[in-house]
């Protein structure tokens, strides 16, 4: 369970995030949408204790993230390229993450077989450093890296951006499979309303730092979201 | 066109995310510059008339010329250590309707007109004025001064080329070796050579053209290198080659720590900047060896200051040069480490172990120093233990102050600053050097060499025993600075 209690983040006078209370129960797949500057990445950064909240706090499984490091065992994330280590081969990167989460290389290799289709022979065994991969391939490495080691909580920031159409569809399929696991809580932020409604069971809309919508996804969700974002026309 | 670039530059400076720090630095620099300007003006006159007073019979101008080569030697070292090539937001400029030539010229103007260049100009100006007031021929003096200026600029360009290419480093090292050999074999006499090299321009101003020719050739060469490198694939991506894998499974026996040790070894091996730093640590070893060779006289008790400093250097090269930037090496992916399944203490501990391994490595390399006497080896090992049990912690604390992100990948640097300097880190760095020397000296005063060595050993051993407690304390400081570091590392320079 992830709890955001009375959480705000201000830069000077400017409030970039203001969440009185948000509780994401275990096993839920959670989508976060909003325009640029709505506070999605800020929220993820706060959950991962990468920036300090102005007020309030975040708890993962009952542990305050800024007080203890215990949440790190159960949480993994891929937010952007700064989560990649450019001078490693993708394999080495995966092995390292596996090591950190108690998986040996063999187990990692076994797990990576599920992604053969997604990787499309451009990632494993090409003997290229991660920094030399294309942006799209880097993203694949990052997203898959965040799945290694069976974490309970997975945070993905814009997983569909920068990917080619085929990969987007493959990734969507994959995420849907992961989301079905009752043990896993997945948080996905996205600009792509289509994808996010297909993958998640609950969607929160952020607008200028405020939660303006909190809905369960059903057939009508996409229409509602489109209506919301078309407002200014 | 320069107008736009200067305009951009001013905005970049005033709107920088590090504006406060940079402004303070600039103000301090301006005062320093004013002070040195005054020194140079006085120095120019003083050098001429002062020398004249102390050597009334000699041609003091000729004497000055014979020492010029040393002056340029020192200047070159200062240029290499203290200046850094200017940075330009090159990627954004590439597609603007600006001429390549213009951008590169601008870059080169920034490169050449650095602080040292200006100081040399002032010194030369003042010295030439002194020469003229004493009745030397104006045209001759001016040609001489211009020739010296060409040499200065050539040195700046050579330094820049050395920073960018290993070939240039090799050329410079080989020439230095050649000069050294020639001097040792008595084939050349350096002051005489220096006098001839520079005085000749005064005697016959036509020689100025030779100096100008060298200067223009270097200028053109640097320009071409920059121009040919003015493509995205050189600046941004670097070469994409298939690379060989490193076998590091032997490290697995270290458990969790091995994950980081492996990673650090790969980081050092596969990125240009940390690799350079690694090789730098051997200079410390060689310098230590040089000092010991020079100052040890095989009498077992005389461990003088030079020997002590040398013993210090031998095992601390990596500790000082690499350790200084310890969390900053990971700046590119610090966010990953901070959100991965890693306790802060494990991370810091792995860095500590890296330092320890480096000290042990150099300790093993230092065993042949037994040739200079068992006392020297003992002192080296005592310093090594001190490095492990005391300096290693100082290094890790000091690294926190170097919060500028480090760009690891190699080619990204042709137009960027590759060196960083921080006052706090510098002070801690001095402390690491001075403290052991002081401790050794004081205890040697009290109880002789064996007490000096013993105290160093003891402090080191105590430090190693208290590792867990000290690291806990350091981790507390690190956790306090966590957000600030994350923020700094995310900022592009």
């Amino acid at each position: 369970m992830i709890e955001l209690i009375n959480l705000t983040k201000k830069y000077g006078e400017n409030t970039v995030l203001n969440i009185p209370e948000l509780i994401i129960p275990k096993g839920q797949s959670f989508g976060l949408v909003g325009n640029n500057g709505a506070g999605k990445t800020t929220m993820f950064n706060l959950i991962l204790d990468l920036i300090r909240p102005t007020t309030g706090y975040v708890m993962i499984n009952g542990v305050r993230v800024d007080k203890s490091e215990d949440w790190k065992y159960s949480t993994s994330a891929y937010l952007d390229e700064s989560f990649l280590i450019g001078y490693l081969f993708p394999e080495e990167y995966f092995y390292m993450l596996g090591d950190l989460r108690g998986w040996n290389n063999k187990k990692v290799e076994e797990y990576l077989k599920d992604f053969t289709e997604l990787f499309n022979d451009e990632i494993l065994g090409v003997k290229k450093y991660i920094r030399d991969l294309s942006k799209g391939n880097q993203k694949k490495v990052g997203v898959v890296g965040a799945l290694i080691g069976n974490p309970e909580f997975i945070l993905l920031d814009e997983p569909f951006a920068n990917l080619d159409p085929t990969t987007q569809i493959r990734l969507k399929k994959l995420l849907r499979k992961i989301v079905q696991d009752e043990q896993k809580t997945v948080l996905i932020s996205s600009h792509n309303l289509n994808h996010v409604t297909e993958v998640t069971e609950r969607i929160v809309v952020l607008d200028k730092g405020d939660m303006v919508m909190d809905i369960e996804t059903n057939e009508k969700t996409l229409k509602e979201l489109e209506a919301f974002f078309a407002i200014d026309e | 066109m320069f107008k736009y670039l200067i305009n951009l530059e001013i905005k970049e400076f005033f709107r920088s995310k590090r504006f406060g720090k940079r402004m303070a630095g600039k103000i301090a620099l301006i005062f320093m510059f004013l002070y040195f300007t005054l020194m140079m003006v006085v120095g120019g006159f003083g050098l001429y008339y002062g020398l004249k007073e102390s050597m009334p019979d000699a041609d003091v101008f000729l004497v000055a010329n014979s020492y010029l080569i040393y002056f340029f030697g020192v200047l070159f070292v200062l240029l290499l250590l203290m200046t850094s090539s200017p940075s330009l937001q090159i990627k954004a400029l590439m597609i603007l309707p600006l001429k390549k030539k213009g951008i590169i010229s601008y870059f080169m103007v920034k490169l050449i007109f650095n602080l040292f260049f200006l100081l040399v100009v002032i010194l030369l100006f003042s010295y030439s004025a002194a020469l003229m007031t004493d009745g030397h021929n104006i045209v001759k003096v001016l040609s001489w001064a211009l020739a010296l200026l060409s040499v200065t600029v050539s040195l700046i360009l050579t330094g820049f080329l050395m920073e960018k290419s290993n070939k240039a480093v090799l050329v410079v090292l080989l020439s230095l070796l050649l000069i050294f050999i020639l001097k040792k074999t008595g084939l050349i006499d350096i002051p005489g050579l220096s006098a001839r090299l520079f005085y000749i321009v005064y005697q016959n101003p036509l020689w100025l053209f030779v100096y100008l020719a060298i200067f223009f050739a270097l200028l053109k060469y640097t320009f071409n290198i920059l121009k040919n490198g003015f493509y995205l694939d050189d600046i941004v991506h670097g070469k994409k080659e298939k690379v060989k894998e490193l076998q590091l499974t032997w490290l697995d026996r270290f458990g969790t720590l091995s994950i980081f040790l492996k990673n650090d070894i790969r980081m050092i091996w596969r990125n240009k900047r940390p690799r350079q730093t690694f090789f730098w640590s051997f200079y410390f070893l060689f310098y230590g060896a040089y000092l010991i060779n020079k100052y040890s006289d095989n009498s077992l008790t005389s461990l003088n200051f030079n020997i002590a400093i040398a013993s210090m250097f031998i095992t601390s090269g990596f500790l000082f040069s690499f350790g200084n930037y310890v969390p900053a090496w990971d700046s590119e992916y610090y966010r990953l480490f901070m959100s991965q399944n890693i306790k802060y203490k494990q991370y810091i501990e792995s860095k500590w172990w890296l330092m320890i391994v480096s000290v042990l490595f150099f300790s093993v390399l230092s065993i042949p120093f037994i040739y200079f006497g068992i006392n020297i080896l003992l002192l080296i090992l005592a310093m090594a233990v001190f490095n492990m049990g005391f300096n290693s912690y100082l290094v890790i604390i000091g690294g926190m102050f170097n919060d500028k992100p480090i760009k690891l990948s190699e080619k990204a640097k042709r137009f960027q600053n590759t060196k960083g300097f921080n006052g706090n880190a510098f002070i801690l760095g001095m402390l690491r050097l001075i403290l052991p020397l002081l401790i050794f000296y004081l205890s040697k005063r009290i109880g002789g060499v064996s007490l000096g060595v013993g105290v160093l050993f003891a402090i080191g051993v105590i430090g190693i025993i208290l590792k867990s407690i000290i690291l806990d304390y350091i981790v507390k400081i690190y956790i306090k600075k966590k957000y600030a570091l994350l923020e700094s590392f995310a900022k592009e320079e």
Side-chain angles (χ1 to χ4, degrees):
Chain A
M1 187 163 73
I2 299 182
E3 297 160 89
L4 284 63
I5 311 289
N6 189 22
L7 193 69
T8 63
K9 178 71 187 172
K10 286 184 189 161
Y11 288 107
E13 288 292 289
N14 189 15
T15 305
V16 292
L17 192 71
N18 178 17
I19 297 180
E21 191 188 55
L22 175 64
I23 291 171
I24 304 164
K26 188 174 177 179
Q28 191 170 59
S29 55
F30 177 91
L32 194 60
V33 296
N35 289 323
N36 291 330
K40 302 185 296 285
T41 308
T42 307
M43 183 169 139
F44 279 3
N45 277 331
L46 284 166
I47 294 176
L48 294 168
D49 194 40
L50 293 173
I51 53 177
R52 211 192 301 260
T54 311
T55 67
Y57 55 88
V58 176
M59 293 213 284
I60 296 182
N61 269 351
V63 175
R64 269 185 70 158
V65 293
D66 55 339
K67 295 281 184 228
S68 155
E69 295 185 86
D70 290 336
W71 56 274
K72 289 181 176 175
Y73 293 116
S74 52
T75 312
S76 79
Y78 180 71
L79 301 194
D80 56 35
E81 306 93 79
S82 69
F83 281 69
L84 296 171
I85 302 182
Y87 54 81
L88 295 184
F89 296 122
E91 290 91 338
E92 290 171 344
Y93 178 70
F94 295 137
Y95 292 153
M96 190 187 111
L97 294 177
D99 264 342
L100 288 172
R101 297 188 173 277
W103 276 15
N104 59 26
N105 293 2
K106 211 158 183 190
K107 197 157 182 196
V108 173
E109 268 162 34
E110 198 58 36
Y111 186 67
L112 288 177
K113 282 189 186 146
D114 293 353
F115 303 97
T116 323
E117 200 188 41
L118 185 76
F119 286 161
N120 200 23
D121 289 334
E122 288 165 14
I123 309 255
L124 298 178
V126 292
K127 290 277 168 281
K128 266 191 196 171
Y129 294 138
I130 293 177
R131 65 178 177 224
D132 296 332
L133 296 175
S134 70
K135 282 256 190 270
N137 281 335
Q138 285 183 347
K139 176 147 260 166
K140 290 184 204 172
V141 172
V143 169
V144 172
L147 303 177
I148 279 178
N150 202 18
E152 256 181 83
F153 303 96
I154 302 164
L155 282 75
L156 301 173
D157 196 9
E158 298 284 354
F160 300 107
N162 271 331
L163 295 179
D164 59 68
T166 311
T167 312
Q168 288 188 26
I169 292 163
R170 282 175 180 165
L171 181 65
K172 197 163 63 186
K173 230 168 72 190
L174 207 125
L175 287 175
R176 266 156 73 183
K177 210 170 103 192
I178 288 164
V179 155
Q180 270 155 21
D181 185 342
E182 296 282 293
Q183 298 300 313
K184 284 197 186 342
T185 313
V186 184
L187 282 68
I188 294 173
S189 85
S190 182
H191 283 144
N192 190 317
L193 303 175
N194 248 321
H195 291 333
V196 83
T197 41
E198 278 181 56
V199 174
T200 60
E201 40 189 357
R202 175 187 179 188
I203 287 184
V204 161
V205 180
L206 285 180
D207 185 39
K208 296 186 181 123
D210 294 315
M211 275 168 57
V212 288
M213 254 180 158
D214 182 355
I215 46 176
E216 272 184 39
T217 25
N218 51 40
E219 314 82 66
K220 280 185 262 168
T221 309
L222 187 59
K223 286 251 149 50
E224 282 176 60
L225 288 174
E226 277 172 348
F228 175 83
F229 284 104
I231 257 168
D232 287 341
E233 274 180 26
Chain B
M1 128 141 232
F2 271 33
K3 199 178 72 190
Y4 294 110
L5 293 175
I6 290 171
N7 192 353
L8 278 178
E9 185 121 359
I10 291 171
K11 289 206 178 94
E12 195 228 318
F13 177 72
F14 281 101
R15 297 174 185 180
S16 157
K17 286 188 177 166
R18 298 172 184 278
F19 175 66
K21 266 189 189 172
R22 282 175 75 173
M23 194 67 205
K26 282 274 173 299
I27 289 171
L29 209 65
I30 287 170
F31 276 107
M32 243 170 70
F33 181 68
L34 286 177
Y35 170 74
F36 279 116
T37 306
L38 196 72
M39 294 275 290
M40 290 297 140
V41 171
V42 177
F45 274 88
L47 216 61
Y48 183 73
Y49 284 105
L51 213 59
K52 195 166 179 180
E53 216 155 273
S54 57
M55 298 191 246
D57 303 325
D59 178 354
V60 287
F61 184 44
L62 187 61
V63 173
N65 272 299
S66 63
Y67 286 100
L68 259 179
I69 205 160
Y70 294 111
F71 169 76
F72 281 122
V74 171
L75 180 70
F76 191 53
V77 173
L78 284 177
L79 281 170
L80 285 182
L81 293 179
M82 309 277 286
T83 64
S84 47
S85 46
S87 56
L88 268 191
Q89 295 283 340
I90 211 73
K91 207 171 157 188
L93 295 175
M94 288 175 111
I95 50 150
L96 291 180
L98 298 169
K99 285 236 165 70
K100 252 188 212 179
K101 222 175 136 180
I103 298 174
I104 294 167
S105 311
Y106 180 74
F107 178 82
M108 289 184 67
V109 168
K110 271 186 76 178
L111 172 71
I112 291 169
F113 285 87
N114 67 28
L115 215 68
F116 288 97
F117 176 76
L118 295 175
L119 289 177
V120 170
V121 169
I122 294 164
L123 181 66
L124 270 179
F125 188 79
S126 138
Y127 191 78
S128 306
L131 283 173
M132 288 178 207
T133 54
D134 203 37
H136 285 77
N137 181 309
I138 294 178
V139 176
K140 285 180 168 177
V141 169
L142 280 182
S143 334
W144 175 82
L146 266 179
L148 260 54
L149 270 189
S150 321
V151 175
T152 310
V153 177
S154 306
L155 287 180
I156 293 175
L157 294 174
T158 313
F160 173 72
L161 291 173
M162 276 176 75
E163 201 179 302
K164 302 301 162 189
S165 107
N166 290 331
K167 246 186 258 165
V169 178
L170 202 67
V171 169
V172 172
L173 283 181
L174 281 179
S175 351
L176 283 180
L177 189 71
L178 188 71
I179 292 173
F180 180 75
I181 291 171
L182 286 177
K183 186 187 164 354
K184 272 278 167 188
T185 50
L187 281 175
I188 53 165
D189 148 48
I190 286 182
L193 181 76
S194 167
R196 239 182 299 154
L197 269 178
F198 300 112
Y199 198 64
I200 201 169
V201 187
Y202 177 74
Q203 286 171 316
N204 182 359
L206 282 179
W207 278 96
L208 170 62
F209 292 103
V210 175
Y211 280 90
L212 288 180
I214 295 174
F215 158 63
F216 277 116
L218 257 176
L219 201 65
K220 185 80 191 145
Y221 180 68
T222 314
F223 185 88
N224 285 341
I225 282 209
L226 285 172
K227 195 169 169 212
N228 292 333
F230 202 72
Y231 287 94
L232 264 191
D233 44 0
D234 280 359
I235 296 166
V236 183
H237 294 305
K239 274 184 210 146
K240 293 182 183 177
E241 293 165 346
K242 287 202 169 187
V243 260
K244 258 170 87 185
E245 210 159 341
L246 272 176
Q247 281 304 325
L248 293 170
T249 37
W250 52 275
L251 271 170
D252 285 342
R253 68 196 71 166
F254 290 98
T256 327
L257 288 173
S258 77
I259 303 171
F260 298 103
L261 287 177
K262 266 195 278 192
N263 197 51
D264 277 328
I265 291 172
R266 287 184 179 129
M267 192 256 288
I268 293 166
W269 200 245
R270 292 176 182 176
N271 296 290
K272 191 174 183 187
R273 202 171 152 198
R275 198 164 53 220
Q276 269 173 352
T277 311
F278 174 68
F279 287 123
W280 259 106
S281 46
F282 285 91
Y283 289 105
F284 280 76
L285 176 70
F286 294 140
Y287 186 63
Y290 164 77
L291 281 180
I292 287 185
N293 180 29
K294 192 164 177 193
Y295 292 104
S296 80
D297 49 8
N298 277 333
S299 70
L300 289 178
T301 45
S302 74
L303 292 179
N304 58 27
F305 182 76
N306 289 306
I307 300 285
I309 212 168
S311 316
M312 180 75 218
F313 276 162
I314 283 170
T315 53
S316 55
F318 186 80
L319 190 70
F320 286 6
S321 57
F322 184 88
N324 240 342
Y325 300 96
V326 145
W329 291 118
D330 292 331
S331 59
E332 278 183 356
Y333 42 86
Y334 206 59
R335 273 149 52 93
L336 172 81
F337 276 4
M338 287 306 101
S339 61
Q340 258 310 323
N341 188 13
I342 307 158
K343 294 255 173 163
Y344 229 125
K345 190 169 175 189
Q346 291 174 305
Y347 175 71
I348 302 287
E349 200 178 345
S350 80
K351 297 295 171 193
W352 185 78
W353 272 107
L354 186 68
M355 301 297 134
I356 300 304
V357 168
S358 82
V359 175
L360 286 173
F361 174 72
F362 283 106
S363 304
V364 171
L365 288 188
S366 75
I367 289 173
F369 284 100
I370 198 164
Y371 168 77
F372 296 102
I374 187 82
N375 268 17
I376 284 179
L377 184 64
L378 275 178
L379 183 58
I380 293 173
L381 294 180
M383 288 288 188
V385 175
F386 186 86
N387 274 334
M388 288 193 267
F390 192 90
N391 277 342
S392 58
Y393 303 116
L394 274 190
V395 163
I396 293 174
I397 296 173
M400 243 182 328
F401 294 110
N402 279 319
D403 56 359
K404 277 188 193 167
I406 291 181
K407 287 215 166 140
L408 296 167
S409 61
E410 43 191 324
K411 287 265 178 143
K413 275 177 292 169
R414 191 167 283 172
F415 289 91
Q416 276 156 355
N417 181 357
T418 47
K419 290 169 195 158
F421 181 80
N422 175 289
N424 283 330
F426 181 72
I427 290 169
L428 275 171
M430 292 309 289
L431 209 62
R432 293 198 292 266
L433 198 63
I434 292 168
L435 220 55
L437 293 176
L438 207 67
I439 291 170
F440 176 66
Y441 249 72
L442 287 180
S443 39
K444 189 184 149 196
R445 260 272 159 82
I446 298 167
V449 174
S450 38
L451 185 72
V453 171
V455 169
L456 285 176
F457 256 119
I459 293 178
V461 169
I462 291 171
I464 294 171
I465 291 170
L466 295 179
K467 179 192 115 196
S468 196
I469 299 170
I470 299 173
L471 284 183
D472 276 336
Y473 174 73
I474 295 176
V475 167
K476 266 187 204 142
I477 318 178
Y478 259 84
I479 286 180
K480 248 185 224 158
K481 277 210 62 165
K482 171 179 166 182
Y483 305 99
L485 272 180
L486 275 165
E487 205 186 329
S488 284
F489 286 161
K491 280 177 193 167
E492 297 274 330
E493 257 309 283

